[in-house]
Amino acid sequence: LLDRDDEQNPQVAKAAVQELAELKVRAIIGPMTSNMALSIMPELSSAQIPCVSPTASTQELSGLDDQFLRVNPPDVSEAVSMAKLAGDILNLKHIIVTYDLGNESFVRPLSARFIEDYLTYQGTEVTQVAFNSRQNPDYVSLYTETAAQADGIFIIAASIEAAIIAGQVKQVNPDISLLATGWALTPEMISNGGKAVEGTIFSHYYDANSKVSDFLEFKRLYSERFFEDPDFIAMLGYNAVITAVEGLKAKKSGELLKDAIIRVGSFDGLQGQIAIDQYGDCDLERHYIQIKDADFTSF
């Protein structure tokens, strides 16, 4: 097992794939973000090494015959689910959509699809606020005026940035409804956000309170080793490895590993079946999750 850090830098990511190819690895688990996944596609194709990403979900990699596979759904499914929540279930009329351009290939298509669907669910007004977490944005100036005018905010950012944003908008508008993507659905959002993130709602396929026996055993072993409960990233990382390993076991002589994984098509994940289609995309059932009493619970 070899590990390399892409440092969220496309050139570093490309060099890492080239090095791993020279070392003749059978498969790559990762990368974690959509920007990095897009950046390494030529190297993967040249080396004919499949990568199984736990979390990269950009729609730009859907429906392509390439060496990229994933064990989480493309981000369009999250956008559709969250738009229904905002417009149809919560009946929010004016929502802020804020996103971190540090992961632009993920946030742009997701925010665009969310806005499109939200406006069909009786939503009437959208304010877009973009920032780049790598450039030390001034969150106070970004949200002081906008938060006062909206009844909801959809945060497309990682957990720490989401917690900072939640704290700022709650100071301005204590009654604002908080929505966030699964990118922020980690314990760090709660530990960094405290009371400000209470009530935040997500759409996800990960259930921290699942009673599935395989997940419970994984949770026990993970907690014993790392002294904390697993989050969705840990589960998806495990699922990605299982998919690659089972594909290697099933691979026939002369068959590409990517083709073997697609041929098998279904793998036993920690919370249900991992179904991989002909293009290496995956679909999973979604449900709503809310932060309540400093914990993630069903909404």
Side-chain angles (χ1 to χ4, degrees):
L1 178 64
L2 308 175
D3 67 280
R4 297 293 184 271
D5 183 1
D6 61 32
E7 300 177 16
Q8 287 299 289
N9 181 316
Q11 297 310 313
V12 174
K14 289 173 181 286
V17 172
Q18 291 168 355
E19 180 184 0
L20 292 171
E22 292 172 2
L23 293 170
K24 301 187 184 303
V25 300
R26 305 289 297 280
I28 293 174
I29 305 302
M32 302 302 287
T33 66
S34 296
N35 276 2
M36 294 305 102
L38 287 166
S39 73
I40 64 172
M41 297 307 292
E43 285 70 28
L44 293 174
S45 178
S46 175
Q48 290 291 285
I49 299 173
C51 79
V52 184
S53 175
T55 53
S57 60
T58 177
Q59 195 71 17
E60 293 181 48
L61 291 171
S62 294
L64 301 177
D65 183 9
D66 51 29
Q67 293 295 320
F68 175 80
L69 305 97
R70 51 184 156 198
V71 294
N72 70 323
D75 52 43
V76 65
S77 68
E78 184 171 23
V80 171
S81 179
M82 293 303 286
K84 179 176 177 62
L85 172 69
D88 190 40
I89 299 174
L90 298 180
N91 197 32
L92 303 177
K93 297 303 181 185
H94 179 185
I95 194 164
I96 301 166
V97 179
T98 187
Y99 42 84
D100 183 356
L101 293 175
N103 192 11
E104 189 167 4
S105 60
F106 168 68
V107 305
R108 287 288 194 192
L110 192 150
S111 60
R113 180 58 186 268
F114 171 86
I115 292 168
E116 178 185 345
D117 282 26
Y118 166 71
L119 292 173
T120 69
Y121 284 116
Q122 285 73 56
T124 57
E125 188 173 354
V126 175
T127 300
Q128 298 187 59
V129 179
F131 64 93
N132 192 322
S133 59
R134 301 181 196 173
Q135 297 175 357
N136 299 314
D138 180 357
Y139 294 105
V140 174
S141 63
L142 284 172
Y143 303 104
T144 297
E145 182 177 347
T146 55
Q149 301 170 351
D151 52 1
I153 182 169
F154 181 35
I155 306 170
I156 310 174
S159 53
I160 294 177
E161 286 73 28
I164 295 170
I165 294 167
Q168 178 57 34
V169 299
K170 279 290 186 177
Q171 286 187 44
V172 177
N173 183 353
D175 297 323
I176 196 168
S177 294
L178 301 177
L179 286 65
T181 62
W183 191 8
L185 202 157
T186 70
E188 285 73 24
M189 183 169 181
I190 296 175
S191 60
N192 284 277
K195 291 183 178 180
V197 301
E198 280 285 312
T200 304
I201 306 174
F202 310 81
S203 169
H204 218 270
Y205 37 79
Y206 174 70
D207 181 2
N209 300 306
S210 171
K211 303 304 179 186
V212 175
S213 59
D214 285 348
F215 175 73
L216 290 175
E217 178 65 3
F218 170 76
K219 185 176 182 179
R220 181 184 69 80
L221 293 170
Y222 186 97
S223 300
E224 287 179 359
R225 180 169 181 178
F226 298 109
F227 307 106
E228 63 181 10
D229 287 340
D231 57 17
F232 80 96
I233 296 173
M235 183 191 79
L236 292 177
Y238 182 92
N239 283 354
V241 172
I242 288 298
T243 299
V245 169
E246 292 302 317
L248 284 168
K249 290 179 181 178
K251 180 178 173 299
K252 299 176 182 178
S253 176
E255 186 179 29
L256 292 175
L257 175 55
K258 178 205 76 170
D259 294 336
I261 292 173
I262 290 173
R263 174 173 55 80
V264 174
S266 183
F267 303 87
D268 293 328
L270 289 175
Q271 291 188 5
Q273 289 295 298
I274 307 163
I276 306 292
D277 71 12
Q278 63 180 326
Y279 300 111
D281 288 327
C282 175
D283 193 19
L284 298 170
E285 181 182 359
R286 286 188 171 276
H287 47 270
Y288 295 118
I289 297 168
Q290 185 172 37
I291 297 177
K292 187 176 181 180
D293 298 328
D295 198 6
F296 296 109
T297 61
S298 297
F299 174 70

